[in-house]
Amino acid sequence: MLMRPPAFWQTDAGRGSAALTRALLTPLGAAYAWATQWRIETTDPENVYIPVICVGNLTLGGTGKTPIVRALLAMLEAAGHHPAALSRGWKGRLDGPAKVDPETHSVRDVGDEPLLLAQDHAAWIAKHRVAGARAIEAAGHDCIVMDDGHQNPTLHKDLSLVVVDGETGWGAGRIFPAGPLREPVERGLARADAVVVMMPDAGSEPDYVRLSLADLEVPVLRAWLEPAGPPPAGPLLAFAGIGRPQKFYDALAAAGGEIAETASFPDHHAFNARELARLADLAEAHRATLVTTEKDWVRLPQEWRARIPAWPVAARFASPDRMSGLLSMAVDGSSGQG
């Protein structure tokens, strides 16, 4: 049966947005955008009896979602709630629903981000988000913070946050695979209840016009990553397999780290013993200490974790009270319809 295109597809050049027009110029990008919007417009989200807070983005690659999720979990716990994180468990072999146990699960089981979240908080993985949410509810948690899922329409969201990197923004405005966008910017922002702009440091201000946020009618919050401790002393060989490794190196240097060499790997890279032995040899040649991100650290083989320290960072909000207010409205003000 021939399916009718979603409403956003039925537009002429005069009414179509600039981002959508650029997407249409790339056939694969147009197909990707069409499939995403079709799924969103034709899916009826399911409710669970506890509030769901989604931390998503509009681009591929690292924007800082997971540190924001960790910060929100900590804020909710401090307010007396019993939250749990929910993740798809990307690249993990388990379908779930399953509660992540750092003592028994590996990155191959559940993926790196859920394993990182489970170091300090309750975290679950589920390929099917609704099933995961119901498992969390059945386990006695009173709210969910979902890591990623802004383009997943299956589960009703009580608060949808979109995280954007204040420096790279939306890239060149092209839809994947020609660019980093998962969907046209204005379509994704139209479903957001608030936007979090991740900046390099506390003193940086976003270019709201360039980011298409100047006239947005929902709250726009500024945040950044702040060291949770000093870098290791002495020369450092820093390595990372995250969306933007340079952000890690820059932050390490800004905190006083003495970087002798860096080594970058693809996002979510699974480090093996041979690679790590080569890094160790290179570090020895520089008389340096190996150091990596917390997200990379959980992907290291167990025998290497004791040898390589992770440099922890935490998300900080310019206006934490505003973020707390949004969480309170979502969690305490939710009707909890099932």
Side-chain angles (χ1 to χ4, degrees):
M1 181 176 69
L2 184 65
M3 295 188 294
R4 180 176 63 84
F8 88 96
W9 199 260
Q10 302 170 31
T11 178
D12 55 41
R15 292 188 294 125
S17 69
L20 180 56
T21 301
R22 286 194 292 271
L24 292 173
L25 294 175
T26 308
L28 287 176
Y32 191 92
W34 181 88
T36 298
Q37 195 65 23
W38 174 264
R39 187 171 64 250
I40 290 169
E41 290 192 358
T42 59
T43 301
D44 186 17
E46 294 191 47
N47 282 274
V48 292
Y49 284 94
I50 58 176
V52 175
I53 298 154
C54 176
V55 181
N57 62 10
L58 308 185
T59 57
L60 302 168
T63 57
K65 290 192 323 298
T66 303
I68 293 294
V69 170
R70 293 177 82 182
L72 300 189
L73 289 166
M75 293 172 79
L76 287 164
E77 289 169 353
H81 293 286
H82 185 41
L86 173 61
S87 172
R88 183 179 60 168
W90 193 67
K91 283 195 172 182
R93 66 179 182 83
L94 299 180
D95 289 338
K99 185 176 182 180
V100 180
D101 182 353
E103 297 298 321
T104 59
H105 288 133
S106 68
V107 167
R108 291 184 180 180
D109 295 326
V110 298
D112 54 7
E113 289 158 349
L115 200 58
L116 174 58
L117 292 169
Q119 302 294 317
D120 304 306
H121 308 283
W124 294 67
I125 58 101
K127 293 293 189 290
H128 301 287
R129 305 298 176 88
V130 175
R134 287 177 175 156
I136 289 172
E137 178 186 14
H141 295 277
D142 63 3
C143 54
I144 294 168
V145 182
M146 186 161 64
D147 190 354
D148 209 0
H150 189 65
Q151 289 76 28
N152 186 319
T154 58
L155 180 63
H156 170 77
K157 306 169 182 75
D158 296 275
L159 176 66
S160 289
L161 305 176
V162 165
V163 182
V164 58
D165 187 299
E167 293 184 298
T168 59
W170 315 115
R174 294 283 186 132
I175 305 293
F176 176 82
L181 285 175
R182 300 181 179 193
E183 59 177 317
V185 171
E186 69 286 353
R187 292 287 165 180
L189 292 180
R191 300 194 312 278
D193 297 307
V195 176
V196 178
V197 185
M198 293 296 291
M199 299 303 296
D201 51 57
S204 302
E205 284 291 337
D207 184 340
Y208 295 104
V209 174
R210 179 178 63 86
L211 295 172
S212 303
L213 302 175
D215 299 319
L216 209 61
E217 295 182 356
V218 299
V220 178
L221 294 87
R222 183 168 57 91
W224 59 91
L225 296 181
E226 193 171 275
L236 301 173
L237 195 157
F239 68 98
I242 55 177
R244 289 184 60 202
Q246 191 61 45
K247 289 179 66 175
F248 169 56
Y249 310 144
D250 291 345
L252 197 59
E258 183 186 340
I259 299 179
E261 185 68 82
T262 63
S264 300
F265 297 82
D267 196 10
H268 300 281
H269 182 69
F271 296 97
N272 59 50
R274 181 177 298 178
E275 291 169 332
L276 293 168
R278 285 200 294 264
L279 287 172
D281 289 342
L282 183 58
E284 185 176 352
H286 284 284
R287 296 183 178 180
T289 299
L290 285 170
V291 64
T292 192
T293 71
E294 290 180 286
K295 186 176 173 183
D296 289 295
W297 187 84
V298 299
R299 293 200 304 275
L300 299 180
Q302 191 68 40
E303 62 272 19
W304 282 90
R305 293 184 187 176
R307 300 175 56 181
I308 300 176
W311 187 54
V313 295
R316 299 285 184 255
F317 293 96
S319 303
D321 289 345
R322 292 183 69 199
M323 188 70 254
S324 295
L326 290 171
L327 293 177
S328 180
M329 284 176 22
V331 176
D332 300 324
S334 171
S335 62
Q337 295 176 2

